[in-house]
Amino acid sequence: MRIRPSMKEQMMDTIEQLPQECLDPRVKRAWRINDAIWLAIIFVVCFIPLAIVTVSIEEPVMSVILVAVLILFVLLVVLCLVILPPIRYARWRFSMNENYLDIAKGIVWRKRYIIPFIRVQNTDTRQGPVLRMFGLSSVTVSTAAGAHEIPGLDTAQAAALRDKAAEFARLAREDV
C-alpha cells in the first residue's frame, strides 16, 4: 500500500527541479518594443538638454560628454534589444498544481517563488497596449506578502491560468 506524499514532501521534490512551462515566444518582441520605448524616452530626456547646453556653451568637454552619452545609448540598445530578451525568455519558467504556483526567473539574480494557494487572495490578468498588439496578457497572483506576475502568455492561456489559480485558491481555503 502506497501512502500519498504530503504537501511538504511534494514541495521539496518540486524545489529540486525547475518549473517546465515557458512564456509565449512573442513576449520577446513585446519586451523589445517596451524597452525601446523606455530607452528612447530616457535618451531624449538626457540627450536633448545636453545637446542644447553643448551648443550654447561651446566647451570641448561638453562635446566629449555628448558623444559618450550617444555611445552609452547605442550600447544600451544593443544590450536591451538584442542580448537580454532571449536570455530573459529562457530563464522564465513557471508551473502550477493544485497546491502551489512555482515561478523561476532572473538573469543575474535568479529568483524562485513557490506560492501556496492557501495564501492567494486574488488572481487577475493584465494587458497593456504592447502586449495587446501581440495577443498576450499577464497573470498576477496576489498574496498578503505581495503580487507575483507571469508576463507574456497567450490571452486565452492567461485567462485559463487565472481561472485555474482562482479555483485552486478557493479549494485550498475550503480545505482549511
Side-chain angles (χ1 to χ4, degrees):
M1 181 173 167
R2 184 174 168 157
I3 299 173
R4 184 174 178 220
S6 70
M7 185 174 156
K8 185 176 179 179
E9 290 170 338
Q10 287 176 354
M11 286 181 74
M12 293 308 292
D13 289 342
T14 300
I15 290 173
E16 294 172 6
Q17 53 187 324
L18 285 174
Q20 297 300 310
E21 292 187 57
C22 307
L23 303 177
D24 191 295
R26 295 175 290 175
V27 76
K28 292 183 280 187
R29 288 184 285 174
W31 285 336
R32 285 183 177 112
I33 290 173
N34 194 45
D35 290 349
I37 291 168
W38 281 109
L39 285 172
I41 290 169
I42 292 168
F43 177 73
V44 167
V45 167
C46 294
F47 188 79
I48 290 178
L50 192 57
I52 292 170
V53 169
T54 301
V55 170
S56 63
I57 294 179
E58 297 180 9
E59 283 286 326
V61 173
M62 292 302 290
S63 297
V64 171
I65 293 173
L66 195 62
V67 170
V69 168
L70 188 59
I71 290 170
L72 179 64
F73 174 71
V74 170
L75 291 175
L76 281 173
V77 165
V78 169
L79 179 70
C80 292
L81 303 184
V82 177
I83 298 171
L84 290 181
I87 298 170
R88 186 176 170 193
Y89 173 79
R91 298 292 178 114
W92 242 108
R93 296 280 182 263
F94 70 96
S95 65
M96 183 170 63
N97 67 29
E98 66 274 356
N99 295 318
Y100 53 84
L101 174 65
D102 188 358
I103 298 173
K105 65 180 181 174
I107 296 173
V108 176
W109 290 274
R110 303 294 310 268
K111 296 177 184 174
R112 182 89 183 265
Y113 302 102
I114 297 179
I115 304 140
F117 282 116
I118 190 75
R119 304 281 184 220
V120 172
Q121 296 175 344
N122 185 37
T123 60
D124 57 72
T125 53
R126 189 170 56 114
Q127 186 182 52
V130 176
L131 288 179
R132 190 176 312 116
M133 189 167 63
F134 291 103
L136 301 173
S137 295
S138 295
V139 175
T140 303
V141 175
S142 302
T143 66
H148 302 279
E149 182 179 40
I150 302 172
L153 298 174
D154 181 74
T155 301
Q157 181 187 9
L161 187 75
R162 176 202 60 214
D163 295 344
K164 194 173 181 183
E167 181 65 18
F168 286 155
R170 184 186 65 78
L171 291 173
R173 282 191 298 276
E174 286 179 358
D175 285 346
V176 174

